[in-house]
Amino acid sequence: MGFFRRDRPLHEQMAEEGGLDLGPEPSETGRGPSRLAGLMHGLADGFLTAPPDEFGNPSPLGEVGVHGVPRARRWDVVASARAELPVNEVHFSALPDGTLIVAEDVPDGSLTSLAEAIEVTLNPPYRAEAVKREDGVWAVAASRILVREFPEAEGDELELVEDGNVVIGRRLDGDLFEVDVTPL
């Protein structure tokens, strides 16, 4: 044995000292990794390959091909609905009482089917965007919002500190603001 060589791997020595059973070695059971696992590792060329599991055996299908921190979800609901509108894209907000505030110039009541498609899953208040696809079908997506009333606010935007929170708001209609509340 060389100067720095071990007769057994360190993880096996430590497991034995701790009284842990690592299970049989693949050579002891007569079964190693399947041919499919070997093929997947060989053909994947690093995409699906994975580090060995806690027993040193290769994972047959590898790790998920997505890594890192997932992006924050932009929409709470995505749906489709039929509507006849004179525009190709529309943005609207639903107030807690169900009233729709529309950014574009569209006929009254024309957004009802889009709002109903969202409200199957998400109750008002919410902010929504819809995009015309084909044959009168629209893709509509919405996110929950927090709506508060600020009767003395001037301007269309506000920023204030309240009860240890930062409140940033954008006027929806009258004294109603869509707000984002963040702790200090």
Side-chain angles (χ1 to χ4, degrees), residues 83-92 100-114 138:
E84 293 300 323
L85 297 168
V87 294
N88 291 326
E89 190 173 309
V90 65
H91 303 81
F92 61 97
L100 298 179
I101 308 292
V102 187
E104 291 79 16
D105 187 24
V106 296
D108 288 345
S110 60
L111 296 180
T112 303
S113 61
L114 300 178
W138 288 70

Side-chain angles (χ1 to χ4, degrees), residues 23-78:
E25 290 292 321
S27 60
E28 294 174 18
T29 61
R31 293 187 57 211
S34 70
R35 289 180 183 224
L36 176 61
L39 180 63
M40 291 296 290
H41 283 284
L43 292 178
D45 195 29
F47 180 70
L48 290 176
T49 58
D53 64 11
E54 61 272 9
F55 302 112
N57 299 319
S59 175
L61 294 178
E63 294 292 323
V64 179
V66 179
H67 301 285
V69 178
R71 285 186 276 171
R73 186 175 62 190
R74 181 172 179 194
W75 305 112
D76 293 318
V77 176
V78 177

Side-chain angles (χ1 to χ4, degrees), residues 122-156:
L122 181 66
N123 292 324
Y126 59 82
R127 169 173 296 290
E129 293 181 21
V131 178
K132 187 175 186 177
R133 293 301 179 201
E134 53 188 48
D135 299 327
V137 176
W138 288 70
V140 59
S143 297
R144 288 178 182 85
I145 60 172
L146 180 61
V147 175
R148 289 205 25 214
E149 191 172 350
F150 292 96
E152 297 176 14
E154 296 178 9
D156 289 336

